[in-house]
Amino acid sequence: MSHEGIRFITEEEARRAQAAESELSVEAKTPAKVRVDKTGGTGMEIEWKDGHTSRWTFGWLRDACPCATCHDEREKSGRRPGEAKAKPQTLLPMYQAPPRPESVTPVGRYAISFHWNDGHQSGIYSWDYLRRHCGCAECATAP
């Protein structure tokens, strides 16, 4: 019996997949306040209507870009949203500026979009996507 085409997932991946399938309440995926610290370069914070607060660094957000190109690249390399690409090992690594948005734009009432300093701008970060990828300790241990 062949196991070709069968992919075994970790318990963590199974938990995340189950969480992704569960429906979030309207309050859980509706922001009350959104703060983007372009000047300080620290990242983004959202206070949700259900009282929860989520925070992301710009590095995490850039590495979690939900556009089709970035999603496919992450999937092929086995990376999760927010996980950085492996840097090639070279004798003299090239300097790369840290990710920062040059502009931030609301997308309707359901998302936010960034024009990154590396020129990338096709990702639309829905409120649902961001809430599902909250990296706080409470959300990381939630069933």
Side-chain angles (χ1 to χ4, degrees):
M1 176 176 205
S2 173
H3 291 297
E4 287 183 51
I6 296 176
R7 181 176 175 262
F8 296 96
I9 62 173
T10 66
E11 187 175 316
E12 171 68 14
E13 289 172 319
R15 185 180 63 74
R16 286 191 185 271
Q18 183 179 18
E21 292 174 7
S22 65
E23 186 60 33
L24 292 171
S25 71
V26 173
E27 292 81 21
K29 58 185 177 182
T30 304
K33 289 183 182 178
V34 178
R35 292 181 197 89
V36 180
D37 185 13
K38 279 180 45 179
T39 306
T42 57
M44 181 169 71
E45 177 181 283
I46 298 178
E47 290 180 28
W48 304 98
K49 286 195 173 183
D50 69 351
H52 188 75
T53 300
S54 301
R55 292 174 187 83
W56 303 270
T57 64
F58 288 137
W60 189 95
L61 289 164
R62 179 61 184 92
D63 289 332
C65 177
C67 81
T69 303
C70 293
H71 174 79
D72 288 346
E73 182 183 320
R74 273 194 311 275
E75 208 168 69
K76 286 178 186 171
S77 66
R79 292 182 296 119
R80 294 185 317 265
E83 190 176 326
K85 291 182 206 177
K87 301 270 190 235
Q89 297 296 331
T90 60
L91 290 174
L92 297 172
M94 296 291 292
Y95 171 77
Q96 185 175 2
R100 287 183 81 147
E102 292 180 350
S103 63
V104 182
T105 310
V107 180
R109 297 179 64 157
Y110 71 95
I112 193 166
S113 179
F114 298 93
H115 183 167
W116 296 101
N117 59 342
D118 65 1
H120 190 68
Q121 61 183 355
S122 55
I124 297 174
Y125 298 74
S126 72
W127 305 133
D128 184 83
Y129 178 82
L130 290 167
R131 181 61 188 260
R132 289 180 188 278
H133 290 90
C134 177
C136 76
E138 180 185 339
C139 291
T141 58

